[in-house]
Short mmCIF file of all heavy atoms in Angstrom, two decimals:
data_model
loop_
_atom_site.label_atom_id
_atom_site.label_comp_id
_atom_site.label_asym_id
_atom_site.label_seq_id
_atom_site.Cartn_x
_atom_site.Cartn_y
_atom_site.Cartn_z
N ALA A 23 188.25 155.99 121.71
CA ALA A 23 186.91 156.18 121.63
C ALA A 23 186.09 154.94 121.63
O ALA A 23 184.98 155.01 121.77
CB ALA A 23 186.47 157.21 120.47
N ARG A 24 186.80 153.80 121.21
CA ARG A 24 186.16 152.55 121.01
C ARG A 24 186.42 151.70 122.32
O ARG A 24 185.97 150.54 122.23
CB ARG A 24 186.63 151.86 119.77
CG ARG A 24 186.11 152.50 118.50
CD ARG A 24 186.62 151.78 117.35
NE ARG A 24 185.85 150.56 116.98
CZ ARG A 24 184.87 150.57 116.08
NH1 ARG A 24 184.41 151.60 115.57
NH2 ARG A 24 184.30 149.37 115.89
N THR A 55 181.35 165.76 122.63
CA THR A 55 180.53 166.12 121.46
C THR A 55 180.46 165.18 120.44
O THR A 55 179.75 165.24 119.39
CB THR A 55 181.10 167.50 120.95
OG1 THR A 55 182.47 167.30 120.51
CG2 THR A 55 181.13 168.60 121.82
N LEU A 66 195.40 160.83 102.81
CA LEU A 66 194.22 160.91 101.86
C LEU A 66 194.32 162.00 100.81
O LEU A 66 193.31 162.24 100.15
CB LEU A 66 193.03 161.18 102.80
CG LEU A 66 192.60 160.04 103.80
CD1 LEU A 66 191.54 160.37 104.67
CD2 LEU A 66 192.12 158.80 102.80
N TRP A 68 195.41 165.26 101.24
CA TRP A 68 195.45 166.64 101.73
C TRP A 68 196.81 167.02 102.14
O TRP A 68 197.15 166.76 103.29
CB TRP A 68 194.41 166.88 102.81
CG TRP A 68 193.00 166.61 102.46
CD1 TRP A 68 192.32 165.39 102.37
CD2 TRP A 68 192.10 167.46 101.83
NE1 TRP A 68 191.24 165.57 101.84
CE2 TRP A 68 190.96 166.78 101.60
CE3 TRP A 68 192.16 168.92 101.54
CZ2 TRP A 68 189.85 167.48 100.91
CZ3 TRP A 68 191.06 169.59 101.04
CH2 TRP A 68 189.84 168.85 100.77
N ARG A 85 181.95 188.64 110.71
CA ARG A 85 180.94 187.65 111.01
C ARG A 85 180.55 187.14 109.62
O ARG A 85 180.10 185.91 109.55
CB ARG A 85 179.84 188.13 111.77
CG ARG A 85 180.14 188.56 113.15
CD ARG A 85 179.82 187.49 114.11
NE ARG A 85 180.82 187.56 115.32
CZ ARG A 85 181.17 186.45 115.89
NH1 ARG A 85 180.53 185.27 115.56
NH2 ARG A 85 181.86 186.56 116.95
N HIS A 112 192.07 178.47 108.84
CA HIS A 112 193.06 177.35 108.72
C HIS A 112 192.43 176.57 107.53
O HIS A 112 191.33 176.15 107.46
CB HIS A 112 192.89 176.66 109.97
CG HIS A 112 193.84 175.35 109.95
ND1 HIS A 112 193.69 174.39 110.74
CD2 HIS A 112 194.81 175.17 109.03
CE1 HIS A 112 194.69 173.42 110.49
NE2 HIS A 112 195.27 173.83 109.46
N SER A 144 206.26 172.40 107.99
CA SER A 144 206.19 171.01 108.61
C SER A 144 205.81 171.13 109.94
O SER A 144 205.89 172.25 110.60
CB SER A 144 207.68 170.50 108.52
OG SER A 144 208.47 171.20 109.39
N PRO A 151 195.48 166.75 116.33
CA PRO A 151 194.09 167.13 115.97
C PRO A 151 194.26 168.38 115.17
O PRO A 151 193.51 168.70 114.21
CB PRO A 151 193.47 167.47 117.28
CG PRO A 151 194.65 167.69 118.14
CD PRO A 151 195.71 166.80 117.75
N GLU A 152 195.13 169.35 115.70
CA GLU A 152 195.22 170.62 115.13
C GLU A 152 194.99 170.66 113.56
O GLU A 152 194.38 171.35 112.91
CB GLU A 152 196.70 171.21 115.47
CG GLU A 152 196.64 172.71 115.92
CD GLU A 152 196.19 173.56 114.81
OE1 GLU A 152 196.30 173.24 113.62
OE2 GLU A 152 195.65 174.63 115.10
N GLY A 154 193.38 169.09 111.97
CA GLY A 154 192.05 168.96 111.44
C GLY A 154 191.38 167.67 111.80
O GLY A 154 190.39 167.57 112.27
N SER A 156 191.62 164.57 114.51
CA SER A 156 192.07 164.50 115.87
C SER A 156 193.23 163.43 115.79
O SER A 156 193.26 162.57 114.96
CB SER A 156 190.91 163.90 116.75
OG SER A 156 190.95 162.49 116.95
N GLU A 157 193.95 163.33 116.76
CA GLU A 157 195.22 162.50 116.65
C GLU A 157 195.64 161.88 117.94
O GLU A 157 195.34 162.20 118.90
CB GLU A 157 196.29 163.29 116.01
CG GLU A 157 197.39 162.54 115.41
CD GLU A 157 196.57 161.13 114.94
OE1 GLU A 157 195.74 161.13 114.16
OE2 GLU A 157 197.07 160.18 115.55
N ASP A 170 196.23 167.01 122.32
CA ASP A 170 195.48 165.98 121.55
C ASP A 170 193.96 166.38 121.37
O ASP A 170 193.44 166.28 120.26
CB ASP A 170 195.49 164.78 122.42
CG ASP A 170 196.16 163.68 121.71
OD1 ASP A 170 197.38 163.80 121.59
OD2 ASP A 170 195.60 162.69 121.39
N ILE A 173 192.18 168.95 126.23
CA ILE A 173 191.47 168.72 127.54
C ILE A 173 192.29 169.44 128.80
O ILE A 173 193.52 169.49 128.77
CB ILE A 173 191.61 167.22 127.78
CG1 ILE A 173 190.74 166.56 126.62
CG2 ILE A 173 190.99 166.88 129.06
CD1 ILE A 173 189.45 167.20 126.43
N MET A 174 191.37 169.68 129.65
CA MET A 174 192.02 170.27 130.89
C MET A 174 192.09 169.17 131.84
O MET A 174 193.27 168.95 132.27
CB MET A 174 191.05 171.30 131.39
CG MET A 174 191.27 171.45 132.96
SD MET A 174 189.99 172.44 133.53
CE MET A 174 190.90 173.35 134.72
N ALA B 23 182.88 157.16 115.37
CA ALA B 23 183.94 156.21 115.70
C ALA B 23 183.46 155.01 116.34
O ALA B 23 184.21 154.00 116.34
CB ALA B 23 185.21 156.77 116.33
N ARG B 24 182.17 155.09 116.96
CA ARG B 24 181.78 153.97 117.65
C ARG B 24 180.85 153.04 116.91
O ARG B 24 180.18 152.30 117.47
CB ARG B 24 180.98 154.37 119.00
CG ARG B 24 182.20 154.77 120.05
CD ARG B 24 181.45 155.36 121.28
NE ARG B 24 181.07 154.35 122.27
CZ ARG B 24 181.87 153.85 123.13
NH1 ARG B 24 183.14 154.19 123.34
NH2 ARG B 24 181.31 152.85 123.95
N THR B 55 194.47 156.96 112.42
CA THR B 55 195.39 156.97 113.47
C THR B 55 194.88 156.69 114.81
O THR B 55 195.71 156.70 115.70
CB THR B 55 196.23 158.26 113.29
OG1 THR B 55 195.35 159.39 113.52
CG2 THR B 55 196.86 158.46 112.05
N ARG B 58 188.91 158.78 118.80
CA ARG B 58 188.98 159.59 119.97
C ARG B 58 187.68 160.46 120.20
O ARG B 58 187.08 160.68 119.30
CB ARG B 58 190.16 160.57 119.93
CG ARG B 58 190.93 160.75 118.72
CD ARG B 58 192.23 161.42 119.06
NE ARG B 58 192.97 160.53 119.97
CZ ARG B 58 193.90 159.54 119.51
NH1 ARG B 58 193.82 159.25 118.25
NH2 ARG B 58 194.50 158.94 120.29
N LEU B 66 185.71 172.11 129.80
CA LEU B 66 186.70 171.43 130.63
C LEU B 66 187.61 172.55 131.10
O LEU B 66 188.65 172.26 131.89
CB LEU B 66 187.46 170.41 129.90
CG LEU B 66 186.75 169.30 129.70
CD1 LEU B 66 187.51 168.24 128.82
CD2 LEU B 66 186.30 168.49 130.83
N TRP B 68 189.26 175.06 129.37
CA TRP B 68 190.19 175.68 128.56
C TRP B 68 189.49 176.70 127.72
O TRP B 68 188.91 176.45 126.71
CB TRP B 68 190.83 174.62 127.59
CG TRP B 68 191.61 173.55 128.43
CD1 TRP B 68 191.02 172.48 128.79
CD2 TRP B 68 192.96 173.65 128.57
NE1 TRP B 68 192.07 171.71 129.42
CE2 TRP B 68 193.29 172.34 129.37
CE3 TRP B 68 194.13 174.52 128.31
CZ2 TRP B 68 194.61 172.07 129.73
CZ3 TRP B 68 195.35 174.15 128.79
CH2 TRP B 68 195.57 172.96 129.48
N ARG B 85 213.69 174.12 114.62
CA ARG B 85 213.49 172.76 114.93
C ARG B 85 213.57 172.50 116.42
O ARG B 85 213.04 171.61 117.03
CB ARG B 85 214.57 171.77 114.24
CG ARG B 85 214.29 171.73 112.87
CD ARG B 85 213.56 170.43 112.47
NE ARG B 85 212.71 170.80 111.14
CZ ARG B 85 211.54 170.27 110.92
NH1 ARG B 85 211.10 169.36 111.71
NH2 ARG B 85 210.84 170.45 109.85
N SER B 144 186.61 184.57 118.75
CA SER B 144 185.46 183.63 118.71
C SER B 144 185.66 182.81 117.45
O SER B 144 186.27 183.22 116.40
CB SER B 144 184.13 184.43 118.73
OG SER B 144 184.01 185.07 117.42
N PRO B 151 187.85 170.33 114.78
CA PRO B 151 189.03 169.68 115.30
C PRO B 151 190.13 170.71 115.48
O PRO B 151 190.92 170.61 116.29
CB PRO B 151 189.24 168.85 114.18
CG PRO B 151 188.58 169.59 112.93
CD PRO B 151 187.52 170.12 113.57
N GLU B 152 190.10 171.59 114.62
CA GLU B 152 191.11 172.62 114.63
C GLU B 152 191.49 173.02 116.14
O GLU B 152 192.57 173.21 116.52
CB GLU B 152 190.61 173.93 113.93
CG GLU B 152 191.76 174.53 113.04
CD GLU B 152 192.81 175.03 113.79
OE1 GLU B 152 192.71 175.39 114.97
OE2 GLU B 152 193.91 175.20 113.15
N GLY B 154 191.71 171.49 118.48
CA GLY B 154 192.62 170.55 119.29
C GLY B 154 191.95 169.35 119.41
O GLY B 154 192.54 168.28 119.24
N SER B 156 189.03 166.62 117.93
CA SER B 156 188.45 166.38 116.56
C SER B 156 187.01 166.72 116.79
O SER B 156 186.48 166.67 117.95
CB SER B 156 188.68 164.91 116.22
OG SER B 156 187.65 164.18 116.60
N GLU B 157 186.34 167.02 115.88
CA GLU B 157 184.94 167.51 116.07
C GLU B 157 183.93 167.24 115.01
O GLU B 157 184.29 166.79 113.95
CB GLU B 157 185.07 169.00 116.50
CG GLU B 157 183.98 169.42 117.16
CD GLU B 157 183.43 168.29 118.08
OE1 GLU B 157 184.06 167.75 118.88
OE2 GLU B 157 182.29 167.91 117.83
N ILE B 173 189.67 165.28 105.66
CA ILE B 173 189.64 164.18 104.68
C ILE B 173 189.51 164.48 103.37
O ILE B 173 188.82 165.54 102.96
CB ILE B 173 188.42 163.20 105.18
CG1 ILE B 173 188.63 162.77 106.44
CG2 ILE B 173 188.36 162.01 104.16
CD1 ILE B 173 190.03 162.19 106.72
N MET B 174 189.99 163.81 102.42
CA MET B 174 189.77 164.10 100.96
C MET B 174 188.76 163.23 100.45
O MET B 174 187.73 163.75 99.89
CB MET B 174 191.21 163.78 100.28
CG MET B 174 190.86 163.35 98.87
SD MET B 174 192.31 162.85 98.14
CE MET B 174 192.41 163.48 96.52
#
Side-chain angles (χ1 to χ4, degrees):
Chain A
R24 286 180 81 90
T55 56
L66 293 172
W68 297 87
R85 293 266 148 205
H112 182 195
S144 71
E152 223 295 333
S156 96
E157 200 30 62
D170 246 62
I173 296 315
M174 154 188 218
Chain B
R24 285 177 83 90
T55 56
R58 9 201 63 86
L66 292 170
W68 298 86
R85 293 265 147 206
S144 70
E152 224 296 334
S156 96
E157 203 26 64
I173 296 314
M174 155 188 218

